Amino acid sequence: MSYGTSNPIRYFGHQVRRARRAAGWTLMEFGQRIGYDPGQISRIENGKRPPTELFARMCDQAFPDRDGWFGEFYAESRTWIATPPWFRSWIEHEQQATALRIWQLGVLSGLLQTEEYARAILAVNPGVTEDQVTERLAARLARQAILTRDDPPSAWFLVDEAALRRRVGSPQVMAAQLAHLAGVARLPGITIQVVPETAHPGVLGGFAIAERAAYVETAVAGQVFEDAGILAELITSFDTLRNEAFRGSESLTLIERMCEEWKAAGARAATRAPTAENA
């Protein structure tokens, strides 16, 4: 699926309407068959409301001649649906890249996050619902497959030292996250360097660079740039920041040491927690 050149929500709705009309059903008749209100079905058909997994599954039951197309398409489109519009074009560049350079300020890159760390990050967004967190989490974890696929890109991550010390979730979540980070650092083609907590060119924000585009974060949203001049400037910024970073071996040692510290912090917290004997 080309997420940048199609609208899966609208396309899904078009296919529902097409199948319903081919079967000769009104919205009311179709709704009675799958247990949905005609108004809900109409909004989905018009692309004004995204489908749910249950709706896709009910469509597969209603239209067995489509061989499970609705469920398969829904699963494939989840990343697109759960991704902010301003980030979708970057996903295409990220998935097609043969080389990536990524700097993230304050927290770890989404490509490096464990499920529980990512969930804790996503849950702090104002007004976010549990369903939205679940969908965005699935989309984020799906992106990580590029690091372990048969032809992974070479990836260079510059990690903020503050991200190793900032508690996201529980100490146990942090310990598991840093253990995962150390494991990723050992993958072929992956370089992870920690940037120390000093003044440096990266304090203004995070960014990611592929061959033909770059993604730059802001406090409100993000922006994708394809201008060659901007790409060159960001590559220079990345290389300057890399010169401030610890060497790869030093970075791995620091990550492993911080992992042990988070494990110890978790053990101390567990010891202090009330039990049936001392409550």
Side-chain angles (χ1 to χ4, degrees):
M1 178 183 298
S2 179
Y3 296 113
T5 58
S6 65
N7 185 327
I9 297 176
R10 187 175 301 165
Y11 186 71
F12 184 97
H14 172 75
Q15 293 300 315
V16 173
R17 181 188 289 115
R18 182 179 177 184
R20 175 179 64 79
R21 288 178 174 175
W25 299 332
T26 65
L27 285 170
M28 180 70 72
E29 290 170 335
F30 183 41
Q32 291 173 345
R33 288 175 178 270
I34 67 172
Y36 273 79
D37 180 88
Q40 288 181 296
I41 298 173
S42 177
R43 288 190 288 274
I44 291 174
E45 286 188 351
N46 290 323
K48 296 179 179 178
R49 178 174 180 168
T52 63
E53 183 178 4
L54 176 60
F55 184 87
R57 195 161 60 241
M58 296 306 294
C59 286
D60 284 335
Q61 293 180 15
F63 308 114
D65 57 310
R66 296 295 296 268
D67 297 322
W69 181 90
F70 294 97
E72 291 179 5
F73 187 85
Y74 170 82
E76 186 180 353
S77 66
R78 285 182 70 187
T79 298
W80 194 95
I81 293 172
T83 301
W86 40 263
F87 192 66
R88 291 169 186 163
S89 63
W90 171 249
I91 290 181
E92 289 191 76
H93 290 290
E94 183 181 76
Q95 296 296 311
Q96 297 168 8
T98 58
L100 290 168
R101 300 178 180 93
I102 299 173
W103 155 248
Q104 187 72 40
L105 179 66
V107 295
L108 296 174
S109 163
L111 293 180
L112 299 174
Q113 294 176 5
T114 64
E115 180 175 348
E116 291 306 314
Y117 183 97
R119 184 185 297 278
I121 290 288
L122 293 168
V124 300
N125 291 324
V128 70
T129 67
E130 185 175 345
D131 287 345
Q132 288 173 327
V133 169
T134 299
E135 289 295 328
R136 293 170 187 176
L137 177 63
R140 180 166 297 184
L141 296 179
R143 290 171 48 219
Q144 298 178 0
I146 65 170
L147 299 182
T148 54
R149 69 190 184 192
D150 292 338
D151 58 338
S154 60
W156 203 312
F157 294 93
L158 296 181
V159 171
D160 191 359
E161 183 178 0
L164 306 183
R165 305 181 187 282
R166 173 170 287 111
R167 176 171 167 173
V168 175
S170 67
Q172 290 83 358
V173 167
M174 288 301 302
Q177 173 61 74
L178 295 194
H180 173 73
L181 185 62
V184 174
R186 294 184 173 91
L187 292 175
I190 304 292
T191 300
I192 294 179
Q193 288 182 265
V194 176
V195 178
E197 294 179 287
T198 59
H200 54 66
V203 296
L204 297 180
F207 55 87
I209 309 168
E211 286 90 344
R212 295 184 297 275
Y215 170 74
V216 178
E217 290 190 335
T218 71
V220 177
Q223 189 169 356
V224 177
F225 295 93
E226 297 182 357
D227 180 80
I230 294 177
L231 288 180
E233 289 182 16
L234 288 173
I235 290 173
T236 298
S237 295
F238 186 90
D239 289 342
T240 303
L241 187 58
R242 184 181 61 189
N243 288 336
E244 301 291 333
F246 297 121
R247 292 181 301 177
S249 58
E250 295 171 332
S251 297
L252 181 57
T253 298
L254 175 59
I255 292 168
E256 291 175 333
R257 177 166 61 79
M258 288 303 304
C259 178
E260 293 303 315
E261 290 187 15
W262 280 113
K263 288 180 181 178
R268 289 194 298 271
T271 302
R272 291 194 299 268
T275 64
E277 290 77 16
N278 61 23

